[in-house]
Amino acid sequence: MQPAASVQACLTGDFLAPVFARYPLEVASAHGVWLTNTRGERVLDLYGGHAVAALGYGHPAWTAALAQQAQLCQFQSNAVALAIRARAAQRLVRFAQLPDMRVFFVNSGAEANENALRIALRTSGRTHIAAIEGAFHGRTAALRAKVSRRTAAVIVEPVQGIAGAVDLGREFLGALRSRCDEVGALLIFDEVQCGVGRTGHPFAANLHGIEPDLLTTAKALGNGFPCAALLMSAQLCAQLPVESLGTTFGGGPMACAAIEAVLQAIESQQLLERVRHLGALIRASCVVGPVCAHQGVGLLVGLRTTRPARQVQAELLECGILAGTASDSHVLRLLPPFILEDEHVELLRDALRELPP
Ligand code: PLP
């Protein structure tokens, strides 16, 4: 029997707004670092659901934490105290090694950034925000012109993701911190993509030894359960009246259970060490075939390609390996789960070796 037209449309995805470019891949299930498509074929996931699946798929402790919390209490808002929320915040601050920070949980990276900017504008009484983009990299002289006494805050991704895994580096970020201090502007680190262990350090702030006034993070934080966090200095927090920030779902118990499980797993499975090791292994072994150089930190890897990266990406997918691209058309971006193993890097190396240079 033929399904009714509307059901057919639903099955084929016709009711979804076609606003995303899609990979030619329909995922039916996933386990560890492997996706299985609807034809039953396995694909090695070096994209991690856009840097989200830090623990890979079906991680037992993460799955159990969510199931347990769902049974205990699936939701209460911030109007009600919850032990799981308090624990998640404490664990995040300890993990970040930024003991003077306070946490506001929200739902997405964009929401965390919006709140960071709102706090900066509100507490400074200034109206100007500076955002550091790719072109700024290394141009410390330009900072003086762009960051002034009018500037409420500077927002920067210390290791840029979409730009193609670009580490802005300790020198540049240190100069930025100094300039912000000089003019009384707040420094916001957007660690939505590069945070929660992806660099092999809790945050890029730790990697580079620079403390921002506000830090936003998301993606890997929930391993796929939607959540994000805004960390702010206790001094800034003290200036915020009660009810000055709002969210319905942020800090919900399911999200907090996911956050607690993620941070616990990163620590107990020594995943930061693994991220550093695997990042180094990819850099040492995968500059082969169409890859001519590498950039980035830890498992936020940019592989520079001699040909358009989209071509290489499509060829890798034919070999059963999913990689990402970047706004730089000649960078293949890898954001794999932290549980990746050496043998998976060897699969990538061997596949790249077989591709035309
Ligand atoms: N900041 C950075 C650096 C990101 O990479 C992204 C998303 O890719 C965002 C913010 C927005 O995060 P979200 O999609 O969770 O709102």
Side-chain angles (χ1 to χ4, degrees):
M1 194 176 83
Q2 286 289 319
S6 60
V7 174
Q8 182 71 50
C10 191
L11 292 173
T12 56
D14 285 356
F15 287 122
L16 293 170
V19 294
F20 283 95
R22 287 216 191 117
Y23 301 133
L25 169 69
E26 187 171 350
V27 174
S29 65
H31 189 76
V33 295
W34 293 97
L35 310 174
T36 303
N37 70 15
T38 44
R39 292 196 299 271
E41 298 155 345
R42 292 202 319 163
V43 174
L44 177 63
D45 186 8
L46 300 182
Y47 187 60
H50 201 54
V52 168
L55 305 184
Y57 302 93
H59 188 281
W62 179 84
T63 310
L66 282 172
Q68 196 186 348
Q69 188 60 50
Q71 292 209 326
L72 208 57
C73 168
Q74 92 279 11
F75 190 72
Q76 278 294 306
S77 78
N78 289 279
V80 166
L82 291 173
I84 184 72
R85 188 186 298 125
R87 285 208 308 274
Q90 185 185 48
R91 185 134 214 164
L92 181 57
V93 166
R94 286 194 179 151
F95 175 76
Q97 298 163 26
L98 297 169
D100 288 333
M101 289 288 194
R102 300 292 176 266
V103 180
F104 179 55
F105 287 121
V106 285
N107 304 293
S108 70
E111 201 185 337
N113 284 347
E114 276 165 24
N115 278 286
L117 297 176
R118 183 175 299 151
I119 290 171
L121 294 170
R122 174 189 274 260
T123 58
S124 67
R126 301 180 184 183
T127 52
H128 173 245
I129 300 282
I132 306 294
E133 290 171 352
F136 246 105
H137 176 41
R139 289 171 56 215
T140 43
L143 289 180
R144 296 199 74 76
K146 300 286 181 196
V147 181
S148 70
R149 293 198 177 276
R150 283 177 50 237
T151 310
V154 179
I155 185 163
V156 62
E157 225 188 320
V159 183
Q160 298 177 319
I162 298 219
V166 180
D167 180 13
L168 294 189
R170 185 177 283 241
E171 191 190 338
F172 177 80
L173 295 168
L176 193 53
R177 175 73 274 183
S178 303
R179 182 62 181 159
C180 285
D181 290 342
E182 205 177 343
V183 298
L186 295 171
L187 180 59
I188 305 171
F189 274 7
D190 173 350
E191 299 218 26
V192 167
Q193 188 165 150
C194 68
V196 198
R198 183 147 301 275
T199 62
H201 299 263
F203 289 94
N206 310 106
L207 164 69
H208 290 309
I210 292 160
E211 198 163 325
D213 302 292
L214 298 125
L215 184 151
T216 59
T217 195
K219 296 196 187 290
L221 185 63
N223 191 45
F225 196 94
C227 60
L230 165 58
L231 281 73
M232 66 190 96
S233 69
Q235 193 199 351
L236 267 179
C237 189
Q239 296 175 51
L240 297 177
V242 171
E243 304 282 350
S244 55
L245 303 177
T247 174
T248 297
F249 292 120
M254 299 291 286
C256 290
I259 292 169
E260 189 178 48
V262 166
L263 299 179
Q264 205 156 17
I266 290 177
E267 285 169 359
S268 66
Q269 292 180 238
Q270 281 134 32
L271 293 181
L272 296 181
E273 289 82 346
R274 184 187 283 248
V275 167
R276 294 198 291 270
H277 163 72
L278 284 155
L281 187 62
I282 293 173
R283 286 170 180 81
S285 60
C286 293
V287 182
V288 292
V291 176
C292 56
H294 60 76
Q295 58 199 45
V297 190
L299 285 180
L300 178 39
V301 181
L303 296 179
R304 189 157 285 285
T305 51
T306 50
R307 304 185 272 120
R310 282 196 186 279
Q311 267 179 24
V312 180
Q313 179 194 38
E315 291 161 5
L316 281 176
L317 195 52
E318 289 281 305
C319 308
I321 297 177
L322 179 63
T325 53
S327 60
D328 183 329
S329 63
H330 281 65
V331 172
L332 209 57
R333 190 166 41 125
L334 308 182
L335 308 155
F338 303 168
I339 57 161
L340 201 71
E341 298 193 7
D342 291 16
E343 67 193 73
H344 304 125
V345 176
E346 285 158 20
L347 289 175
L348 173 66
R349 179 203 61 198
D350 293 349
L352 285 168
R353 255 190 201 148
E354 294 297 314
L355 299 183

